[in-house]
């Protein structure tokens, strides 16, 4: 569905109030941590020594964030006017009050040490060790402080605006390595214990403070950048080669980003440590990124898997996030939008412009899906319960796409000049969006307040339909740009500049390109030409953020697919041609499969023709399954799942499941299930018992089993959920269960019970159980979801649980017959649109 009757909801959950930062009474200048993690008891002994300076009022009471920390003592260190001594203190809920008597005078400093213990912390500090189900696990410990979990392992003012230098002393058993932020200044072993001391001089926020410890192996990469920064990665012993595949490009990335940003990598060293069971992909802790060990991969995975997006993202944060930090979470796109955009910038430097443009295109598509299915919100937004709620596709992908659009608006040279100014002027500071706007103004003279109002401070996007015609009598070519989203007094049409071009031949050579201003719901741009154009181009560089549907007609669409130099234009063209389905359209698509040089266009072509379910598409997809590029083969495999045809199943069985790539095999397994072929059950049950990298192939198999809509699938899916199966497979099995429950009525009650049990499982299984509960839509799961929504500490899970409960309740209010009617109406509308298009195409001269 794509109209306003869709499943979209308001972003803010009921009862949410706008969030504002706290007042500030002191400036925290330094935090020194002395910590001894104890893995056996899953606890930590700590001394947190803090230096604060009072602002312009005396400070008699200082309230810190501290959750479940048992504070035994707070000692004031000697100060000019005062002797050392104990300070009165009291823990109060999630706060620690410290009383200063006499008060710290305005402008005066105080240094005090808090002695505390953390026992089995509920968040922030995680202990990994062998279990009965997983005897292979290696003992280690790591922290995750973003957004507001530093307070679970040390007392602090836990808010991004507060930036301080830090130092850390970590005491671990001999043979254990420990990592913290900044330079390693000392390391000594005495009496079976090793003490690591780190110092981070450039101030940073508490959410970036890290500690990780375990029997890690250290691998040095080439020193990098202007300052010859030492670069390391840390992996558990035996994973060094996998680490090289994952992190091997890091030094080159540092050099690339320094060059683009005109600013040296800011810290003393750069380390990445790969830990088990990490709850994110990566976390950009200042100078010491934590990465998930799922990104370590073998040679087979390396065929069509790269850690570069993750590695470049976290590295980009060292500037955007760590050096320039969002003042308030509501502006967190200045962290995440930039890091997402810089992933594409690395791709551009490493693999070229097609990869860059396609990466941004995929970002836009990801955002559009969220906007269609979940909600729309301004990118800058302060209506949340937990900050993590806004860490969605609006923040990352739309944020990244806005920066790409800004690049188009300013042109390359001015864009990078503006970004350099922004970095230079705001290094070591806290930023809000206005700081970016001002830096652009300073560097280029351009006042972009209306641009930011439209794309950052306002939700939504334009839904564009683009067509082109040629009038041979008047010798005028006309491009029409329609905005299909609701436009009225409250929702003005989007205003933007866009380039269009007409070329006399099949390529862009000798094109006539013009820059047009669009501001109305229906715009036409006429261009007088000497002769009939063969190629029409819309928005080269794909800068305009929104959905773009081509209605060019077969000739222009075929010309675009085969001749437009821009990958995004070729994708838009193949989508139009797939819907068209006429002989000329099919010939153009077939020619593209012969000639196209960029895999992304063919992957999109496979997806687009797959949705037609037409016999001609089936033949092309069967052929595309043998394409040299595994990502094209993967897309073809996925698309073959649309066909309930033995030919599709045979191709998937004989070539898909035997492909060298884990991902092609996994996708083929899932698609094979969708074909409902009688041969699938045995093949997939066998495959579900395999053990491949990150559970990839077997995960595809269990999801494929669910798609068979066959009650027999329950047993192998449950078998794949056993605790010893590993997180990735258990997660896939959880999704598969929910799917099976919605396809096979007799399994439903058992599925409901299983999903409910999994709401108290390990992190990713819980997340998957919530998503599964929502898609199953069974009211019996609502009380459990609401309970989790209230109780769970993790903000992301709290949001998912609450949202799932609301959606299940609301969807239950719609009678099933109406739901079916809605789907039918949507399908009819789509069909009608296709027929209408056909008529229009035929009517054209
Ligand atoms: Zn990030």
């Amino acid at each position: 569905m794509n109209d306003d009757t869709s499943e979209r909801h308001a972003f803010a959950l009921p009862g949410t109030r706008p969030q504002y930062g706290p007042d500030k009474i002191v400036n925290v200048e330094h935090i020194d941590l002395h910590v001894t993690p104890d893995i056996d008891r899953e606890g930590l002994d700590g001394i947190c020594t803090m230096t604060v300076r009072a602002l312009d009022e005396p400070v008699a009471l200082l309230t810190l964030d501290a959750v479940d920390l048992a504070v035994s003592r707070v000692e004031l260190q000697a100060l000019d006017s005062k002797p050392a001594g104990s300070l009165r203190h009291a823990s109060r809920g999630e706060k620690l009050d410290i009383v200063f008597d006499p008060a710290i005078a305005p402008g005066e400093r105080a240094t005090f040490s808090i002695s505390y213990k953390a026992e089995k912390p509920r968040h922030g500090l995680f202990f990994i060790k062998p279990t009965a189900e997983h005897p292979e696990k290696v003992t280690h410990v790591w922290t995750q402080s973003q957004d507001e979990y530093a307070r679970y392992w040390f007392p602090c003012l836990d808010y991004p605006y507060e930036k301080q230098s830090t130092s850390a002393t970590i005491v671990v058993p001999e043979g254990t390595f420990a990592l913290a932020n900044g330079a390693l200044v000392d390391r000594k072993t005495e009496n079976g214990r090793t003490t690591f001391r780190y110092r981070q001089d450039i101030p940073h926020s508490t959410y970036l403070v890290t500690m990780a410890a375990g029997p890690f192996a250290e691998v040095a990469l080439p020193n990098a950048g202007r300052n010859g920064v030492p670069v390391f990665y840390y992996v558990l012993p035996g994973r060094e080669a996998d680490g090289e595949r994952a992190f091997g490009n890091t030094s080159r990335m540092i050099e690339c980003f320094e060059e683009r940003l005109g600013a040296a990598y800011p810290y003393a060293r750069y380390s990445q440590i790969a830990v088990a069971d990490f709850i994110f992909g990566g976390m950009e802790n200042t100078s010491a990124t934590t990465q998930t060990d799922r990104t370590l991969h073998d040679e087979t995975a390396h065929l069509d898997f790269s850690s570069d997006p993750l590695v470049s993202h976290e590295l980009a944060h060292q500037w955007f996030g760590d050096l320039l930090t969002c003042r308030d979470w509501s502006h967190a796109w200045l962290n995440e939008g930039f890091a997402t955009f810089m992933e594409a910038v690395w791709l551009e430097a490493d693999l070229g412009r097609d990869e860059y443009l396609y990466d941004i295109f995929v970002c836009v598509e990801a955002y559009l899906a969220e906007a269609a299915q979940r909600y729309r919100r301004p990118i800058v937004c302060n209506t949340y319960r937990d900050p993590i709620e806004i860490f969605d596709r609006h923040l990352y992908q739309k944020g990244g796409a806005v920066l790409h659009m800004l690049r188009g608006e300013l042109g390359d040279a001015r864009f990078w000049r503006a970004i350099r100014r922004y970095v230079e002027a705001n290094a070591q500071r806290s930023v809000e969006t206005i700081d970016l706007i001002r830096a652009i103004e300073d560097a280029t003279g351009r006042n972009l307040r209306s641009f930011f109002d439209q794309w950052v401070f306002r939700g939504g996007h334009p839904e564009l339909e683009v067509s082109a015609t040629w009038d041979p009598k008047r010798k005028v070519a006309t491009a029409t740009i329609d905005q299909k989203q609701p436009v009225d007094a409250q929702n003005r049409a989007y205003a933007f500049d866009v380039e269009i071009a007409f070329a006399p031949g099949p390529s862009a050579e000798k094109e006539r390109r013009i820059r047009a201003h669009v501001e109305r719901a229906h715009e036409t741009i006429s261009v007088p030409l000497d002769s009939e154009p063969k190629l029409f181009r819309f928005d080269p560089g794909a800068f305009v953020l929104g959905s773009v549907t081509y209605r060019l007609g077969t000739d222009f669409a075929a010309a675009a697919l085969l001749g437009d130099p821009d990958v995004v234009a070729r994708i838009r063209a193949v989508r139009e041609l797939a819907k068209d389905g006429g002989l000329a359209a099919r010939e153009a698509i077939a020619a593209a499969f012969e000639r196209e040089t960029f895999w992304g266009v063919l992957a999109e072509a496979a997806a687009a023709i797959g949705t037609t379910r037409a016999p001609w598409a089936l033949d092309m997809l069967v052929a595309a399954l043998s394409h040299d590029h595994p990502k094209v083969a993967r897309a073809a495999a996925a698309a073959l799942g649309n066909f309930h045809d033995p030919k599709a199943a045979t191709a998937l069985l004989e070539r898909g499941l035997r492909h060298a790539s884990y991902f092609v095999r996994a996708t083929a397994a899932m698609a094979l299930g969708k074909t409902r072929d009688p041969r699938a059950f045995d093949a997939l049950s066998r495959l579900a018992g395999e053990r491949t990298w990150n559970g990839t192939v077997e995960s595809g198999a269990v999801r494929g089993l669910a798609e068979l809509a066959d009650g027999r699938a329950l047993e192998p899916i449950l078998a794949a959920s056993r605790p010893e199966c590993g997180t990735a497979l258990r997660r896939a099995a959880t999704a598969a269960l929910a799917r099976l429950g919605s396809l096979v009525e007799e399994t439903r009650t058992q599925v409901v019970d299983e999903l409910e049990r999994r709401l108290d499982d390990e992190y990713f299984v819980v997340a998957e159980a919530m998503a599964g509960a929502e898609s199953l839509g069974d009211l019996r799961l609502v009380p459990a979801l609401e309970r989790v929504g209230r109780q769970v500490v993790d903000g992301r899970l709290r949001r998912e649980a609450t949202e799932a409960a609301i959606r299940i309740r609301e969807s239950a209010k719609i009678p099933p017959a109406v739901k079916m009617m809605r789907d039918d109406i949507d399908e009819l509308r789509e069909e009608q649109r296709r027929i209408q298009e056909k008529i229009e195409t035929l009517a054209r001269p």
Side-chain angles (χ1 to χ4, degrees), residues 284 313-314 317 336 339 396:
E284 67 272 21
H313 180 105
E314 304 308 335
H317 273 312
E336 299 304 345
Y396 287 77

Side-chain angles (χ1 to χ4, degrees), residues 773-795:
E774 186 180 323
S775 68
L776 188 64
D778 197 299
L779 275 170
R780 286 173 286 182
L781 285 163
V782 169
L785 286 166
E786 287 176 340
R787 173 181 63 76
V788 175
R790 283 191 307 273
Q791 289 173 354
V792 74
V793 177
D794 185 85

Side-chain angles (χ1 to χ4, degrees), residues 452-680:
F452 280 85
D453 272 351
Q454 186 167 268
W455 304 105
V456 177
F457 295 111
R458 170 179 161 187
H461 56 265
E463 293 166 18
L464 304 178
E465 270 183 21
V466 179
S467 57
T469 53
W470 166 246
D471 180 342
K473 275 193 215 127
R474 291 169 50 230
K475 293 203 157 202
V476 170
T478 302
T480 305
I481 301 165
D482 287 312
Q483 299 194 26
K484 295 303 220 184
Q485 78 282 4
V487 173
D488 53 36
Q490 274 75 48
N491 303 289
R492 276 167 295 124
Y494 283 79
F496 51 88
D497 285 354
V498 64
E499 288 186 337
I500 59 161
F502 289 97
S507 74
E509 224 178 305
K510 294 188 191 148
E511 69 177 11
R512 170 94 193 279
R513 198 191 277 210
I514 58 165
R515 193 168 178 86
H517 183 68
V518 170
E519 59 180 17
R520 287 170 304 185
H522 176 76
E523 294 276 4
T524 55
I525 302 144
S526 292
V527 186
L529 296 172
D530 296 335
S531 62
E532 182 177 1
K534 292 285 179 280
L535 177 68
F536 165 68
R537 305 181 65 201
F538 172 74
D539 191 19
F543 293 113
V544 180
L545 201 169
S547 67
V548 177
T549 307
Y550 274 7
R551 302 256 189 266
L552 302 184
T554 314
D555 291 348
F556 272 139
L561 174 60
L562 300 173
D564 197 308
D566 207 277
V567 291
V568 176
R570 303 208 288 276
I571 291 166
R572 288 169 178 159
V574 81
R575 287 180 174 179
E576 177 175 355
L577 292 167
K579 281 187 210 148
D580 175 329
L583 180 63
R586 294 189 322 250
E587 280 173 358
I589 298 171
F593 272 104
E594 295 295 315
R595 284 156 48 181
E596 175 63 51
T597 52
F598 183 64
W599 65 270
V601 174
L602 293 182
E604 297 293 338
I609 66 177
T611 58
T612 67
R613 300 184 175 170
W616 61 268
L618 175 57
D619 292 338
M620 278 191 205
L621 290 169
V622 168
L625 194 56
S626 301
H627 195 276
D628 288 343
H629 201 298
K631 287 185 184 173
V632 177
R634 196 196 302 185
L640 283 168
N642 290 313
F643 296 85
H644 290 193
D645 188 309
K647 207 153 121 193
T650 301
L652 290 166
L653 276 161
E654 289 178 359
R655 281 180 290 137
L657 295 188
R658 290 182 194 158
H659 201 280
S661 153
Y662 296 132
F663 297 95
V664 176
R665 292 171 69 202
T667 307
M670 171 99 167
L672 180 62
K674 287 187 176 169
T675 65
R676 310 253 164 103
D677 189 271
R679 294 165 289 173

Side-chain angles (χ1 to χ4, degrees), residues 657-662 665-666 669 683-702 720 722 724-725 729:
L657 295 188
R658 290 182 194 158
H659 201 280
S661 153
Y662 296 132
R665 292 171 69 202
L684 295 177
S685 300
R686 257 198 316 277
L687 210 57
E690 276 200 31
R691 290 295 171 261
T692 60
W693 172 77
N694 273 5
T696 306
V697 174
E698 51 274 35
S699 292
V702 294
R722 289 192 310 266
E724 64 271 23
C725 285
L729 180 55

